[in-house]
């Protein structure tokens, strides 16, 4: 399917990697080609998305970048952005493929589905040697510089400016030449995660191995599953691996980080849900992924009548796990202390069904690539609290980018 999809200028592939968090009607979902597109800068993007959906009663795929915060809170973004994904981009696909372990469903607009199936079946990987070149992955911060930033952020925490802040750093490579599909294939093998994605818009690619859901809507019910709390896997030492998991379960620091974000999400959902319907379905659940153990909580609510897509995203975006609390203040500090624009990183990618249900991930554990400018970016962050150890926060970032670095090196 993906070798066939490479011919298109726009496609979105979503793969749950057989994680059954909830019953799903598909294992993989691929949208290819664009019948009509929406691209808008921050300012009126959510209203534009609302009108786009109202005009197109079909499947819609796309992303929302982190910098839509500027529309929600009247903020700004002045840091460099060398990737260039649009602030918001959605499209109605020409072809949609829904694959589970029993069947492939093909949906088309003005195309013969039998021809699509034959083309996919006859598609094969390009066996030619790729001219891959990755000069080396560098960091935007020297380690001591990063440590000083954490200490400065802790001064804000001490003053009561905020309670928790998600501080991210960029790792990058210039003049990089990669085969994005090959990179996605390798990353999926060593780090399969339930919200994996391979996404292309023009010369921009997202190779994503995210374990985190931003928001899912099923009829009038909405779910959010923020991640906050990380422990390293030790797959060569199962006793040590289990100890790390237990340490995460019992860590007062990690539980405090998690519950702060749970409270923030509860507050966000209360703006759009029926009073009394917002509840925490699971608190401090620990789930194991190939690279890390993660602490995940699940919050749900029942939407009020007449709540629109624009209402939902304005109330909940960006996701609290990628900002901290309170949102506006920490986003101001993120802009001040981070060196690069987040762009699509810590935004969301997903789909909206013809019935207005949707599911979006959190774009983390990702390689972002501009094939025109040959610029490659990996961003990672961690939650800084007053009790954080700056050295450990730095190491957490390195753990989170380990899988991406390994497939590139």
């Amino acid at each position: 399917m993906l070798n066939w999809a490479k011919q298109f200028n726009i496609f979105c592939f979503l793969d749950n990697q057989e994680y059954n968090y909830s019953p799903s009607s598909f294992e993989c979902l691929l949208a290819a080609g664009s019948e009509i597109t929406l691209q808008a800068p921050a300012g009126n993007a959510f209203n534009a998305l609302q009108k786009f959906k109202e005009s197109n009663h079909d499947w819609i795929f796309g992303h929302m970048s982190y910098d839509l915060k500027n529309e929600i809170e009247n903020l700004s973004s002045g840091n460099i952005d060398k990737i260039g994904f649009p602030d918001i981009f959605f499209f109605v696909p020409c072809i949609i493929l829904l694959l589970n372990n029993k069947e492939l469903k093909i949906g088309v607009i003005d195309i013969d589905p039998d021809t699509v199936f034959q083309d996919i079946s006859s598609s094969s990987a390009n066996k030619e040697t790729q001219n891959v070149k990755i000069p080396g992955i560098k960091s935007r911060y020297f380690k001591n510089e990063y440590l000083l930033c954490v200490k400065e952020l802790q001064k804000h925490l001490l003053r009561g400016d905020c309670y928790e802040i998600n501080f991210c750093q960029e790792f990058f490579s210039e003049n990089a030449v990669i085969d994005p599909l090959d990179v996605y294939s390798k990353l999926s093998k060593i780090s399969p995660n339930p919200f994996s994605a391979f996404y292309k818009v023009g010369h921009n690619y997202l190779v994503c191995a995210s374990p985190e859901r931003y928001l899912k809507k099923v009829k009038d019910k909405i779910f959010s599953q923020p991640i906050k709390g990380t422990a390293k896997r030790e797959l060569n030492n199962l006793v040590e691996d289990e100890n790390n998991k237990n340490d995460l379960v019992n860590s007062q620091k990690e539980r405090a980080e998690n519950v702060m974000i749970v409270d923030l999400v509860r507050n966000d959902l209360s703006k759009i849900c029926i009073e009394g319907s917002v509840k925490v379905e699971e608190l401090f659940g620990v789930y194991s992924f190939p690279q890390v153990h993660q602490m995940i909580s699940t919050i749900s609510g029942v939407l009020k009548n007449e709540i629109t897509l624009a209402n939902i995203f304005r109330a909940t975006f960006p996701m609290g796990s990628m900002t901290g609390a309170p949102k506006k203040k920490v986003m101001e500090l993120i802009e001040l202390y981070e060196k690069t624009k987040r762009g699509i990183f810590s935004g969301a990618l997903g789909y909206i069904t013809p019935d207005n249900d949707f599911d979006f991930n959190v774009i983390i554990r990702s390689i972002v690539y501009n094939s025109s400018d040959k610029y490659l970016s990996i961003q990672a962050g961690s939650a800084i609290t007053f009790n954080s150890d700056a050295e450990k926060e730095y190491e957490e970032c390195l753990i989170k980018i380990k899988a991406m670095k390994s497939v590139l090196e």
Side-chain angles (χ1 to χ4, degrees), residues 230-247:
T230 303
K232 186 179 180 182
R233 297 297 309 267
E234 295 286 356
L235 297 178
N236 294 324
N237 186 333
L238 296 183
V239 173
E240 186 67 23
D241 189 58
E242 191 65 21
N243 288 340
N244 288 353
K245 184 176 180 180
N246 290 333
D247 288 345

Side-chain angles (χ1 to χ4, degrees), residues 155-359:
K155 292 179 183 177
H156 289 280
L157 291 156
L158 181 62
R159 286 198 295 265
D161 294 339
C162 54
Y163 311 107
E164 175 183 325
I165 180 167
N166 185 274
F167 178 48
C168 297
Q169 58 177 315
E170 184 194 28
F171 302 84
F172 65 98
S173 180
E174 297 172 296
N175 298 312
V177 179
I178 64 170
D179 178 344
L181 175 53
D182 183 59
V183 171
Y184 174 77
S185 178
K186 289 175 179 176
L187 186 60
S188 293
K189 286 175 182 174
I190 69 166
S191 190
N193 278 291
F195 298 100
S196 297
F198 184 41
Y199 180 50
K200 178 187 179 186
V201 178
H203 54 256
N204 288 330
Y205 290 86
L206 170 69
V207 175
C208 179
S210 175
E212 184 172 2
R213 170 178 277 136
Y214 157 47
L215 215 54
K216 180 176 183 176
K217 176 181 174 290
V218 180
K219 296 181 179 177
D220 64 346
K221 195 167 184 181
I222 197 157
F223 302 84
S224 182
Q225 293 181 295
I227 290 178
K228 201 49 75 182
T230 303
K232 186 179 180 182
R233 297 297 309 267
E234 295 286 356
L235 297 178
N236 294 324
N237 186 333
L238 296 183
V239 173
E240 186 67 23
D241 189 58
E242 191 65 21
N243 288 340
N244 288 353
K245 184 176 180 180
N246 290 333
D247 288 345
L248 176 59
V249 170
N250 297 311
S251 169
Q252 291 304 309
K253 171 187 174 294
E254 303 286 9
R255 291 162 77 93
E257 290 179 9
N258 191 285
V259 80
M260 282 185 208
I261 299 308
V262 167
D263 282 344
L264 187 153
V265 172
R266 288 172 61 213
N267 182 65
D268 285 350
L269 293 186
S270 70
K271 300 172 188 174
I272 52 174
C273 290
I274 295 170
E275 186 176 347
S277 70
V278 175
K279 63 181 180 179
V280 180
E281 299 200 356
E282 182 180 30
L283 186 65
F284 307 143
V286 173
Y287 294 81
S288 298
F289 301 99
Q291 312 297 324
V292 290
H293 302 291
Q294 301 271 208
M295 188 177 283
I296 306 176
S297 294
T298 301
I299 306 98
S300 69
V302 179
L303 292 166
K304 298 174 184 175
N305 291 333
E306 308 305 322
I307 288 292
T308 65
L309 281 172
N311 296 148
I312 293 169
F313 293 136
R314 270 203 204 93
T316 59
F317 193 83
M319 53 294 298
S321 61
M322 296 308 297
T323 61
K327 265 190 186 180
K328 183 175 183 180
K329 182 60 181 178
V330 295
M331 289 191 291
E332 290 172 352
L333 293 173
I334 285 167
E335 179 68 20
L336 184 62
Y337 285 94
E338 292 183 9
K339 290 188 174 184
T340 46
K341 199 173 178 180
R342 289 192 182 180
I344 197 171
F345 171 76
S346 72
L349 175 71
Y351 64 88
I352 306 168
T353 71
D355 297 326
N356 287 317
D357 287 344
F358 58 74
D359 202 359

Side-chain angles (χ1 to χ4, degrees), residues 8 12 26 30-31 68 88 148 152 155 168 180 198 207 237 242 284 288 348 377 386 394 405:
F8 295 95
C12 180
F26 61 88
L30 173 60
L68 288 177
I88 193 169
L148 285 172
E152 287 298 313
K155 292 179 183 177
C168 297
F198 184 41
V207 175
N237 186 333
E242 191 65 21
F284 307 143
S288 298
S377 175
F386 181 70
Y394 185 79
K405 281 191 71 177

